[in-house]
Amino acid sequence: AASGLTRSPLAASVAASLDTWGSGLWSLKVQCTLDASVERVLDHLSHLELRMQWDVMLARGSLVEQIDEANAIVHMVFHPALPGHGMMDYVLLQSLRHEPSHGVYVLALRSVASPSFPTEPAASRGEILPSGYVLQASADGTRTRLTYVVQMRPQRLITRLNLDAYSLSRAASLFALRFITLQRRLNGDAPAPKPKNVNTQWCGCVPARSLTTIDML
């Protein structure tokens, strides 16, 4: 299988798969290094009120249930990632794990059924398979190596063809943009304005030919 990486101004690497493990699942893996401690990065990823300040894709989020200190069910509504598509909402189990000996945090996410939390009228309910963030502190504790992996089943309205030529290039740009705005927020800068519809003209598209599809992440 071929593999490759693309670079953003934040030096974020992006790898994508159209057929992860031969299962027909879509996967995207993003890695970058942020100039902030792992604790600060984790706070901005896991706390909805902080995430709303920097995540240009997140329209709104709310806590559905706090199960315990490390586990919660959250609801998130995201702006359209592609022109012509509507908003998506997700009900997610968010779980935090910590490996102190390695300076590693794992923030895991996956969709859960929630009949008591119906889909919003303006959004379509999406499904995220086991996904999440791995955060590892640098040796001096001042920087964080961030890895994000998301797995999803193909959406009915997006064909395999236009995913390859169209969607993956936008995914690369969007994830680069999200982590750039996260770094800006961590630096104390004003967050970028949230777009009504995220598209390539707004975020700067990475050409599809610069992405290489891989069979496994």
Side-chain angles (χ1 to χ4, degrees), residues 2 17 21 23 39 56 71 82 123 129 131 147 173 178 185 189:
S17 171
W21 301 305
S23 61
E39 291 81 10
V56 295
N71 300 279
L82 301 173
L129 300 175
S131 305
T147 301
S173 292
R178 291 170 91 180
R185 187 64 190 177
D189 298 335

Side-chain angles (χ1 to χ4, degrees), residues 45-103:
L45 290 172
S46 60
H47 296 160
L48 288 172
E49 64 275 14
L50 290 177
R51 184 162 171 173
M52 286 289 296
Q53 296 175 11
W54 64 265
D55 192 339
V56 295
M57 288 297 297
L58 183 61
R60 54 189 173 275
S62 60
L63 176 67
V64 177
E65 179 184 355
Q66 187 70 50
I67 300 171
D68 55 34
E69 189 177 75
N71 300 279
I73 297 176
V74 298
H75 177 242
M76 296 184 181
V77 183
F78 289 90
H79 292 290
L82 301 173
H85 290 263
M87 300 179 79
M88 300 291 295
D89 82 326
Y90 301 87
V91 178
L92 303 171
L93 173 63
Q94 178 176 282
S95 298
L96 176 64
R97 300 292 182 267
H98 182 208
E99 293 290 341
S101 60
H102 297 91

Side-chain angles (χ1 to χ4, degrees), residues 30 52 77 84 94 102 115 117 140 162 167 173 180 182 187 207:
V30 185
M52 286 289 296
V77 183
Q94 178 176 282
H102 297 91
F117 210 92
D140 63 3
N162 66 25
S167 305
S173 292
I180 289 169
L182 173 55
N187 290 345

Side-chain angles (χ1 to χ4, degrees), residues 1-24:
S3 63
L5 299 175
T6 59
R7 295 289 175 181
S8 79
L10 189 67
S13 63
V14 181
S17 171
L18 297 174
D19 191 21
T20 309
W21 301 305
S23 61

